[in-house]
Each structure stands twice: as C-alpha cells, then as structure tokens.
Amino acid sequence: MQRLWRLLHWRYLTREQINGFDNYKYSAIDTSPLSQYVMHPFWNWLVKFFPRWFAPNLMTFLGFLFSVMNLVLLSYYDWNFDASSGEEGTTPIPKWVWLSAAINIFLAYTLDGIDGKQARRIGLSGPLGELFDHGLDSYTAMIIPTCLYSIFGRSRLYSVRPMRMYYVCLTVYFNFFVSHWEKYNTGVLYLPWGYDVSMWGSTAMYLFTWWAGFERWKFALPLGPLGSLPMGNVMEAVLHVSAMANLPLVVINVYNSYVKRTGRMLSVWEAVRPMWPFVTYFVLLLLWPFLSPNDIMERDPRAMFMLSGTIFSNVSH
C-alpha cells in the first residue's frame, strides 16, 4: 500500500515544467508543395463541415484507428507476409482488403491534417493535444511500412526479405526521431515533405493492387545497361530515400538556429541528450535479429516489426 501511495502521489513534473505548458506555443513550418497547394486548401474547406463540439483529440484518435484497422486486417490475412509472395500454398489477400486499406489510409491522413485546424478553429490548441497527436504518429511510423510490405510479400524474386524491410522500418523511425530532435533544438517543427508523398503513394498503391491485383507488381523495372530491379526493391529504395532525404535539412536548420541564435541555444550536452535513449534502442533492435537463436526475423517478422514500433513510440515520447 505504501508503494501504491507513493506511485499515486509521485510528482512526475516539476512546478516549473507544469507552468511551461501555459507559455508553450506550437510552431511548425510546412513547405511541401503538395501540402501547400493541394492538401491545406482541401483541409481548410473540409474542417468547416465538422461541428465545433467535435473534439480535435477525437479526430486524432479516429485517424489513428483507421491506420490500426489496416494493421489488423493485414495481420489477419497475412501475418507472415506470405500471401502476396505468389509462392505455392499461399492464400492471396481478398481484394476488398486493398480497397479498405486505401480508404483507411486516406481517412487517417485527412483526419491527421484537420485535427490541428479544428483545435485552432475552436480555441483548444495546446501542448497536450500536440503531444497526443505526435505520440500516435510515432506508432503510425511502424504501421505504414509494415502494411505496405503485404503488397509485395516476402517473394524471393520480386521483393525483399523481412530483414531488409526491418531496416526500412528503422530508417523511418530514425527520420521521425530526428525531425522531432530538430524541433527540440530549434523550437520549430519543420514538417518533412516525405510524409505527404508517402501517404498519397500508399493510397495509390493500395488502389492499384485492388484494381489490378498483387500479381501486377511481380515484374522487374528495366534499368538499361544496369540490368533490372524488382518492384519490391524499388519500393524499398523509395522508402529509404524518402525517409532519409530530410536529414540534410535537419542538420542545416539546427546549425542555422545556433548561428543565427533563433533556436533554444542549448549546451552541447543538452542538445544531444535526447539522442542517447534512441541510440541505445537503435543498437539493441539492430543486434536482436542477428543474435536471435531461433532466427526470429524469418520465423515471425511481424512480431519484430510491431515490437520495434511499440518501443520506438515509447522512446520518442
């Protein structure tokens, strides 16, 4: 009972930290042409149809649930990522699942885009809403690539093995983390261009798979004298590039915030302090599949993907 009493009365935040919530202002810069000229006008129009009593956090949570629905559906029909491999003895994913996945991911994207607009519209914008939003986004970083993997499966000819898809997930986690580390130092969240492209790309890929079937992805892209590249490998490369393309801008923005004295001007130790839990996590999750005595990545890759995403979400927030 004494331990329970201490747990319930433990002061997790200091008074200074609590007071900081009142002075906090969300600051974000979105320079993506797709966002600026297509999505934001659409979101500004759409949010007006929601009643003012509709809580922004409810929008955030509903959007997250649509992403989770894709994870649940594809986990049920394709737990081991074999369904779209085209190999003998496998059962393809029903076509309606792909249509559902396209609708779900677009709804998730839309609700994620308008929750902040609804908050500002009704005067409920605040740090707790931002924490809730980005906390759920950090788990979605696992859901998006994991679900896309089911389009190609672990085909030996036209896709990549689970370990390489695992590297894609880690790359996405890294990009998500450094974007928020950038904000930790600069005070501004510079939204990556890759997010909008990945959401539109995911929607298009699910729709194409629903319309044409997963078999249409079973070909190699001709590269002239360099040979050819299977479409599963193309997806792998695109996800890596889209995730890492933001890194140079992160370095430049953090550097400029110190040179121009526009950021938080933290000491070197304070600036890199959030990195240590993530680096520890990253090293351990890289080593685990190699040290696994029962080859966990081949036996149950989905479990590793979901475990890595769950731990990452906790580490990043």
Side-chain angles (χ1 to χ4, degrees):
M1 286 297 296
Q2 188 175 12
R3 290 183 178 180
L4 178 61
W5 186 91
R6 289 180 179 177
L7 180 65
L8 294 175
H9 291 80
W10 183 264
R11 294 184 178 180
Y12 293 94
L13 298 175
T14 65
R15 173 51 57 184
E16 181 182 3
Q17 290 170 326
I18 294 174
N19 291 337
F21 281 93
D22 296 328
N23 300 320
Y24 176 84
K25 290 185 178 181
Y26 178 63
S27 178
I29 296 178
D30 188 357
T31 59
S32 167
L34 182 57
S35 281
Q36 289 291 322
Y37 300 110
V38 179
M39 298 314 300
H40 279 296
F42 170 64
W43 292 333
N44 288 332
W45 169 80
L46 183 63
V47 74
K48 297 175 183 177
F49 291 92
F50 284 84
R52 300 181 70 87
W53 53 259
F54 205 101
N57 283 350
L58 180 57
M59 289 181 173
T60 304
F61 189 59
L62 286 175
F64 175 69
L65 289 182
F66 280 118
S67 295
V68 171
M69 193 180 301
N70 278 356
L71 183 66
V72 171
L73 279 173
L74 291 168
S75 295
Y76 179 78
Y77 286 104
D78 187 30
W79 181 266
N80 288 316
F81 302 104
D82 290 323
S84 297
S85 66
E87 297 183 1
E88 186 178 353
T90 59
T91 302
I93 297 169
K95 294 192 71 172
W96 67 265
V97 173
W98 300 119
L99 178 60
S100 177
I103 295 171
N104 289 339
I105 196 70
F106 188 77
L107 288 175
Y109 177 40
T110 301
L111 288 167
D112 188 44
I114 65 175
D115 55 0
K117 295 181 183 296
Q118 176 74 345
R120 289 184 289 275
R121 177 177 172 232
I122 63 178
L124 286 180
S125 181
L128 292 180
E130 180 190 351
L131 181 65
F132 184 61
D133 187 358
H134 293 295
L136 296 182
D137 286 346
S138 65
Y139 195 74
T140 307
M142 175 274 296
I143 294 177
I144 294 174
T146 298
C147 290
L148 284 176
Y149 190 35
S150 284
I151 293 178
F152 301 91
R154 52 164 89 184
S155 169
R156 298 184 183 277
L157 293 178
Y158 298 107
S159 187
V160 298
R161 302 306 296 169
M163 180 65 81
R164 287 173 60 175
M165 194 63 203
Y166 183 63
Y167 294 152
V168 171
C169 290
L170 293 179
T171 302
V172 174
Y173 303 159
F174 176 78
N175 177 61
F176 185 95
F177 183 84
V178 296
S179 293
H180 287 76
W181 174 78
E182 174 188 30
K183 183 194 175 186
Y184 172 76
N185 281 276
T186 65
V188 178
L189 180 63
Y190 296 87
L191 299 172
W193 288 20
Y195 173 69
D196 296 288
V197 174
S198 66
M199 299 303 277
W200 271 98
S202 298
T203 303
M205 289 174 69
Y206 289 135
L207 285 175
F208 180 82
T209 308
W210 163 69
W211 175 70
F214 74 91
E215 298 88 354
R216 290 298 182 91
W217 296 103
K218 305 301 182 186
F219 71 95
L221 189 69
L223 298 177
L226 298 177
S228 60
L229 190 66
M231 286 305 296
N233 298 72
V234 172
M235 183 197 71
E236 175 193 31
V238 168
L239 289 174
H240 275 303
V241 171
S242 62
M244 295 301 293
N246 191 49
L247 183 58
L249 294 176
V250 169
V251 175
I252 292 171
N253 289 332
V254 172
Y255 174 78
N256 286 338
S257 73
Y258 279 89
V259 171
K260 299 177 181 179
R261 306 188 69 82
T262 58
R264 299 180 62 198
M265 302 306 295
L266 303 172
S267 66
V268 174
W269 169 250
E270 282 297 320
V272 301
R273 186 165 61 92
M275 285 287 187
W276 302 123
F278 179 76
V279 169
T280 303
Y281 154 83
F282 206 80
V283 171
L284 290 176
L285 268 293
L286 275 174
L287 289 176
W288 190 337
F290 288 104
L291 300 178
S292 172
N294 56 359
D295 196 10
I296 184 64
M297 191 56 70
E298 283 293 326
R299 293 188 62 180
D300 200 348
R302 187 177 293 274
M304 280 300 297
F305 293 170
M306 294 174 67
L307 174 68
S308 68
T310 303
I311 299 175
F312 169 72
S313 184
N314 280 272
V315 168
S316 61
H317 282 80

